[in-house]
Amino acid sequence: MIKEIESNKKYWLVRTFSGKYYEHFIQNKYIAIGWNGISDLKLINKAQKDAKAKETLYNKAKELYIKKDNEQPGRIISPILRFINEMNTGDIVIIPSKNSDTIHFGIIKGNPKIVQDVINLEEGLEPLHKQRTVEWVTSRDKEDLDLHLFRMLNSHYAISNVDDYAEYIDRTMYSLYVKGDKAHLVIKVGKKGDYTGTEIPDLINSFLGTIDLYNEVSNDSVKKSDVKMKISLQSEGFVLFSGCVETITIVLGIAVALCGGGFKFNRSGENKDVSTEVTTSGLIPTIWDRVLATKDQKHRHMIEEKEQNFRHMVSALDITLPPLSEIGENSITEDSAAEKSNNKGEHKRG
């Protein structure tokens, strides 16, 4: 299912107490915050708008946790209010391990709750009662992290809003997604070392050339100029193609087909009004069926040449297309599967 990210979702960096709770959060699918002595959810909710309730929380923090006159109760109450009142189901959450060696990315799935019986906790760790359930989506080692996200990790607050990094977080979590009225396709480039003067232009021209191929066999007039691109070849390299859903569907659909398969996918989202089925036989009528139908006609030689060149480029640059779990339903015919297995330029799936 192609992921649909709602534009109003927020992004949060939640610390794991120097990595001590990192594995426990992942294994038990939750995030939590400390200061168990302040766990009255009704009072915390009320304190968001009620000055008297907020003063009560501040006094509680002073009583339980403030040991020195120069310590500020706000450093305790602010993250508690944020965790309970500002975070929402569907928001994106990021947690770092010790020294930020590994980063996990997930989606908040539950409202805040108080959990007294915290299971599977390692000896020496204090139970954290204020919790939210999380569906973990992916992880990255520090050396493979998008360079833009290193600045995000410089924040050492218990909870930080990191909406400014949404673009980089989205493309780290998903290789194929829709946000607003645009679809985004992340093509991962695994080649190490130097690139020749033609390899990157060939990559771009090969993927945008899928639109030319589609137009040729369908007599359509989809515009390549509508596709925007961003390129990064540092660390884990990628090319990001962005455009309307129909156009990005064509690019991915023909790319998958040139590498030996056919596909269809659905858009998934929490808002049923914007959850729209997108398939090669629906929104864009039988993209690859049209291509296959021409192979014994006037376009046969052109298509076979494009297949050969495309697979060579994919192999040379160690290209990874989005995994099947992000594309959705995938079908490979017996003929194309045999052809693919015999071809040394077989593409990878993430």
Side-chain angles (χ1 to χ4, degrees):
M1 303 283 281
I2 181 171
K3 178 64 179 178
E4 182 152 0
I5 304 174
E6 296 184 19
S7 299
N8 63 346
K9 296 304 179 188
K10 294 185 176 297
Y11 296 72
W12 306 98
L13 176 67
V14 177
R15 288 289 166 183
T16 58
F17 299 84
S18 300
K20 294 177 183 177
Y21 289 84
Y22 179 75
E23 292 295 339
H24 198 262
F25 285 175
I26 295 167
Q27 292 171 6
N28 295 278
K29 299 180 180 180
Y30 79 106
I31 53 173
I33 194 169
W35 305 294
N36 290 333
I38 304 175
S39 294
D40 184 338
L41 293 185
K42 289 184 178 180
L43 180 62
I44 297 170
N45 281 321
K46 189 176 181 181
Q48 190 71 10
K49 296 181 179 180
D50 187 300
K52 187 174 181 180
K54 192 171 186 177
E55 183 181 1
T56 300
L57 289 181
Y58 271 67
N59 290 335
K60 192 74 171 178
K62 291 177 182 179
E63 174 189 345
L64 295 176
Y65 301 110
I66 301 300
K67 307 299 181 184
K68 299 178 181 178
D69 291 339
N70 62 346
E71 289 184 332
Q72 299 298 317
R75 70 177 181 83
I76 297 171
I77 300 306
S78 292
I80 291 176
L81 291 175
R82 178 161 276 185
F83 187 85
I84 301 300
N85 297 331
E86 295 183 37
M87 285 182 161
N88 291 297
T89 299
D91 285 356
I92 306 298
V93 63
I94 302 99
I95 62 170
S97 68
K98 183 179 181 181
N99 299 321
S100 299
D101 291 334
T102 307
I103 315 297
H104 251 77
F105 301 78
I107 303 171
I108 297 175
K109 288 296 183 180
N111 291 324
K113 58 184 178 180
I114 303 301
V115 178
Q116 298 292 344
D117 185 17
V118 182
I119 62 173
N120 303 324
L121 198 62
E122 292 183 14
E123 185 177 352
L125 291 183
E126 176 187 7
L128 302 177
H129 295 159
K130 294 181 286 296
Q131 298 185 10
R132 284 179 175 270
T133 56
V134 173
E135 175 189 324
W136 299 113
V137 174
T138 191
S139 64
R140 288 290 185 277
D141 292 336
K142 180 190 288 186
E143 57 266 26
D144 294 327
L145 196 65
D146 191 307
L147 296 180
H148 292 89
L149 296 181
F150 279 95
R151 187 182 303 173
M152 174 190 74
L153 297 173
N154 289 334
S155 174
H156 294 287
Y157 293 108
I159 301 176
S160 302
N161 178 268
V162 290
D163 288 352
D164 290 345
Y165 300 90
E167 173 187 345
Y168 315 113
I169 295 168
D170 290 342
R171 71 189 188 206
T172 297
M173 293 181 67
Y174 304 103
S175 298
L176 180 63
Y177 59 96
V178 173
K179 193 169 189 178
D181 61 350
K182 299 295 182 183
H184 306 271
L185 171 63
V186 181
I187 303 299
K188 296 179 182 177
V189 184
K191 180 182 176 180
K192 306 298 182 183
D194 295 333
Y195 291 81
T196 69
T198 61
E199 284 180 324
I200 300 307
D202 284 348
L203 184 159
I204 295 170
N205 291 332
S206 293
F207 276 94
L208 291 183
T210 60
I211 298 175
D212 293 329
L213 176 56
Y214 174 77
N215 287 338
E216 178 73 20
V217 301
S218 66
N219 294 318
D220 208 337
S221 57
V222 178
K223 295 180 181 179
K224 292 190 293 186
S225 59
D226 291 340
V227 178
K228 307 302 180 185
M229 290 179 298
K230 292 185 179 181
I231 301 175
S232 173
L233 297 177
Q234 296 176 316
S235 183
E236 186 180 88
F238 69 88
V239 179
L240 174 69
F241 296 96
S242 301
C244 69
V245 175
E246 293 87 343
T247 303
I248 297 303
T249 299
I250 290 171
V251 173
L252 178 58
I254 299 297
V256 170
L258 288 173
C259 289
F263 86 119
K264 70 175 183 176
F265 63 80
N266 299 318
R267 292 169 62 182
S268 65
E270 294 177 4
N271 187 337
K272 293 182 179 180
D273 292 334
V274 297
S275 181
T276 305
E277 184 176 9
V278 180
T279 70
T280 57
S281 58
L283 183 62
I284 301 175
T286 55
I287 292 176
W288 193 238
D289 287 346
R290 289 187 181 184
V291 175
L292 293 177
T294 66
K295 291 190 71 172
D296 293 324
Q297 301 172 28
K298 63 179 180 178
H299 300 299
R300 178 176 180 179
H301 177 73
M302 175 195 70
I303 294 171
E304 290 179 347
E305 183 178 9
K306 285 184 179 295
E307 283 181 330
Q308 183 178 2
N309 292 338
F310 194 88
R311 295 186 189 192
H312 175 76
M313 180 274 301
V314 165
S315 177
L317 297 182
D318 193 15
I319 296 293
T320 302
L321 297 178
L324 299 183
S325 59
E326 293 187 26
I327 294 176
E329 298 181 29
N330 183 279
S331 60
I332 298 180
T333 65
E334 291 182 1
D335 290 341
S336 65
E339 183 181 8
K340 179 179 172 183
S341 65
N342 292 328
N343 192 295
K344 293 182 180 181
E346 177 181 353
H347 74 296
K348 295 194 306 178
R349 291 231 180 248

